[in-house]
Amino acid sequence: AEAIELLSRASSLAPHAGIVQYHLGQTYSASGQFPAAVEAYRRAIALDATLFEAWQNLGVALERSGDLASAVQCMTQACALRPESADVR
């Protein structure tokens, strides 16, 4: 809970930093808050569409939320960004 609060504050201070949103998504995912993680990862991607990890983790969060079709789309995008990664195959 403290990490989410700190990252939310960091997000307010640096609203155009996709990496902050990515880390917020990771924190939400780690606490099982997948809908909130999905939103944070989507904000991260909107700010920086080249964040491979954000695409990958968005796919995982969507899958855990039950949205398999969107999860596959995100993993496809992650694979396009880093085709050598075994994590998205």
Side-chain angles (χ1 to χ4, degrees), residues 8-88:
S8 293
R9 194 172 319 146
S11 176
S12 297
L13 295 172
H16 301 294
I19 196 70
V20 173
Q21 293 299 321
Y22 164 72
H23 286 295
L24 186 57
Q26 280 190 305
T27 305
Y28 281 127
S29 285
S31 65
Q33 299 178 54
F34 299 111
V38 165
E39 292 306 313
Y41 290 134
R42 285 186 171 147
R43 286 191 302 271
I45 290 165
L47 293 166
D48 184 354
T50 67
L51 284 173
F52 164 81
E53 292 83 359
W55 282 105
Q56 180 184 29
N57 288 318
L58 174 57
V60 171
L62 286 164
E63 185 234 345
R64 291 187 177 159
S65 297
D67 187 349
L68 299 181
S70 295
V72 168
Q73 291 175 347
C74 290
M75 290 301 189
T76 300
Q77 182 61 34
C79 191
L81 288 171
R82 197 178 293 169
E84 72 282 1
S85 178
D87 292 336
V88 294

